[in-house]
Amino acid sequence: MDFTATFLFFALFISSIQAVDPCSSRPQNKDLSVIPIYGRCSPFKPPKPESWVDTVINMASKDPARLKYLSSLVAQKTTAVPIASGQQVLSIGNYVVKVKLGTPGQVMFMVLDTSNNVAWVPCSGCTGCSATTFLPSASSSYGSLDCSLPQCNQVHGLSCPATAAAACFFNQSYGGDSSFSANLAQDSLTLANDVIPNFAFGCINSISGNSIPPQGLLGMGRGPMSLLSQSGSLYKSNIRTTPLLKSPHRPSLYYVNLTGVSVGRVRVPIPPEWLAFNPTTGAGTIIDSGTVVTRFVQPLYEAIRNEFVKHAKGPFSTIGLFDTCFEAKAEVELPSLTLHFEGLSMKLPMENTFLHTSAGSRACLAIAPAPNNVNAAMNVIANLQQQNQRILFDVANSRLGISREACN
């Protein structure tokens, strides 16, 4: 990263298994390696042994809460941020990034969230936090931020006196039954072989409720306090890009212009209103790291599914949230799905399109309709479909790039 550059780029490299040691940083690598929450490079373990498809179904069971949260952001309502306990499946913690915070660096595995603008970590002395905390006293570069600084105006639940300088404290709800209080601080953040000096984040000092936070959250939204805005980095790439659209009611979300969907060589007939971006209502398509399974509005999902079943051999059954499951041996004959955006197309590889049962006898089309309790006009391109893709966020130029990456 070149921190003196005026362009604001960041590459998000979502990978499952790399050809080299995936748990070590490679010299001169400017990518941010994203680790599956239960991958071999992560310190977190699943609550119980289970198959991959069961893990996905269990994690995706938190999607409705996540989508309700995203929908409420669009509508400018207040709701609890869906972060579950560190001892449970993290509903937005499907991927983590390994960072070093402070000088010398203290290793933390922070949840990645592209729809959140602020980073936070549990700090030593925190009441109700997990065992792994950040020690500010052990860092020579740590410092608190006071209410007079502009960063303090970017956090929610702000608590500052009307007069005189004081530490910037704020509160945030999460998990449905919990909240935390934190003071705004800054320290050196190291990731992807680069250092971000004076990185602003929330240092959590107490939580209330039954949930235990994980080792922190790294906000990757479009706001001024996100990692992207604070990094000020330049990333050169030849990746094809599509415009990022912006809603004034929820400027942190990454809206893109989805223009169509193909099943094999067939372009699915889709009325424009099912895809149209409306900055006022929140209708349109976003790309999100915290949702597990890609969700389409009901009529769009049905159109895609109906075209797919023309090419597949039944009978079809339902497993969990997936209603198009079939004999796995027929998979080799099935067409691929392609998402068309303005300026680029994203052809989903087989591992991003189908999920296999533990016995391997059946496979399921790995997309689903939007839940009934959320904004019925918002499509979400989720992290299961982003796996083994290189995702480039160019916030300054309002562009998003996608390219296939051979990670497996």
Side-chain angles (χ1 to χ4, degrees):
M1 301 176 190
D2 178 359
F3 296 106
T4 63
T6 57
F7 296 97
L8 193 59
F9 282 88
F10 208 89
L12 173 58
F13 181 22
I14 295 184
S15 60
S16 299
I17 302 173
Q18 301 175 20
V20 296
D21 180 5
C23 302
S24 63
S25 297
R26 286 169 283 174
Q28 307 304 317
N29 191 338
K30 303 300 182 183
D31 296 331
L32 177 60
S33 293
V34 180
I35 304 168
I37 185 68
Y38 298 135
R40 60 174 171 158
C41 303
S42 170
F44 302 105
K45 303 301 178 186
K48 60 182 180 180
E50 57 188 2
S51 68
W52 169 236
V53 69
D54 289 336
T55 297
V56 171
I57 289 173
N58 288 335
M59 297 179 79
S61 68
K62 309 298 190 298
D63 276 358
R66 172 70 176 179
L67 294 172
K68 184 177 181 181
Y69 164 63
L70 296 175
S71 178
S72 70
L73 294 178
V74 172
Q76 293 187 301
K77 299 177 182 177
T78 300
T79 189
V81 180
I83 305 174
S85 164
Q87 296 177 342
Q88 304 170 9
V89 175
L90 303 175
S91 58
I92 68 164
N94 304 311
Y95 291 93
V96 296
V97 291
K98 181 180 179 180
V99 307
K100 291 182 180 179
L101 186 62
T103 306
Q106 300 174 41
V107 174
M108 307 291 287
F109 286 84
M110 302 178 73
V111 166
L112 179 76
D113 188 0
T114 56
S115 297
N116 197 302
N117 287 328
V118 180
W120 51 263
V121 297
C123 289
S124 60
C126 172
T127 302
C129 288
S130 59
T132 301
T133 59
F134 172 69
L135 280 68
S137 61
S139 173
S140 61
S141 50
Y142 176 86
S144 293
L145 298 178
D146 63 45
C147 292
S148 65
L149 297 174
Q151 294 97 319
C152 192
N153 294 322
Q154 301 299 326
V155 294
H156 297 286
L158 182 63
S159 176
C160 277
T163 60
C168 179
F169 287 96
F170 67 98
N171 300 284
Q172 182 171 325
S173 297
Y174 72 98
D177 62 350
S178 303
S179 63
F180 68 77
S181 63
N183 64 284
L184 196 61
Q186 65 179 20
D187 209 333
S188 175
L189 180 73
T190 303
L191 74 170
N193 297 309
D194 285 293
V195 179
I196 304 174
N198 302 320
F199 180 77
F201 64 97
C203 188
I204 297 178
N205 48 63
S206 68
I207 69 167
S208 61
N210 299 320
S211 298
I212 300 175
Q215 295 180 26
L217 181 143
L218 193 60
M220 292 276 289
R222 301 169 74 175
M225 288 286 287
S226 76
L227 172 65
L228 303 184
S229 297
Q230 293 195 60
S231 67
S233 60
L234 175 65
Y235 184 93
K236 298 180 180 179
S237 175
N238 294 322
I239 294 177
R240 296 185 66 180
T241 62
T242 186
L244 282 172
L245 310 176
K246 200 163 189 177
S247 167
H249 297 298
R250 190 49 181 166
S252 63
L253 297 182
Y254 291 99
Y255 278 92
V256 289
N257 185 15
L258 180 66
T259 59
V261 178
S262 291
V263 177
R265 297 182 179 181
V266 178
R267 186 82 170 228
V268 179
I270 300 172
E273 58 266 25
W274 295 354
L275 302 173
F277 170 63
N278 187 320
T280 302
T281 64
T285 302
I286 68 169
I287 186 165
D288 180 54
S289 67
T291 308
V292 178
V293 175
T294 290
R295 306 283 186 137
F296 294 109
V297 296
Q298 186 71 38
L300 175 55
Y301 170 77
E302 291 177 357
I304 297 171
R305 181 188 183 278
N306 290 342
E307 183 59 40
F308 176 81
V309 298
K310 294 178 184 178
H311 305 269
K313 295 180 180 179
F316 299 101
S317 61
T318 297
I319 299 178
L321 75 163
F322 304 113
D323 63 6
T324 312
C325 300
F326 49 89
E327 290 296 325
K329 62 184 180 181
E331 180 182 350
V332 293
E333 305 171 6
L334 295 175
S336 60
L337 297 184
T338 302
L339 307 180
H340 302 288
F341 303 96
E342 180 182 343
L344 67 84
S345 292
M346 179 183 182
K347 183 177 180 180
L348 300 180
M350 287 297 179
E351 66 267 24
N352 293 26
T353 308
F354 305 105
L355 284 175
H356 291 267
T357 60
S358 56
S361 60
R362 298 190 71 76
C364 302
L365 181 63
I367 59 174
N372 294 327
N373 64 337
V374 302
N375 185 338
M378 188 167 67
N379 305 300
V380 180
I381 309 302
N383 64 51
L384 183 61
Q385 280 63 48
Q386 294 176 52
Q387 289 185 92
N388 301 312
Q389 306 281 346
R390 183 179 295 267
I391 312 294
L392 177 70
F393 295 95
D394 176 1
V395 179
N397 294 308
S398 296
R399 311 289 298 185
L400 182 134
I402 304 173
S403 71
R404 181 80 171 94
E405 193 79 30
C407 304
N408 285 343

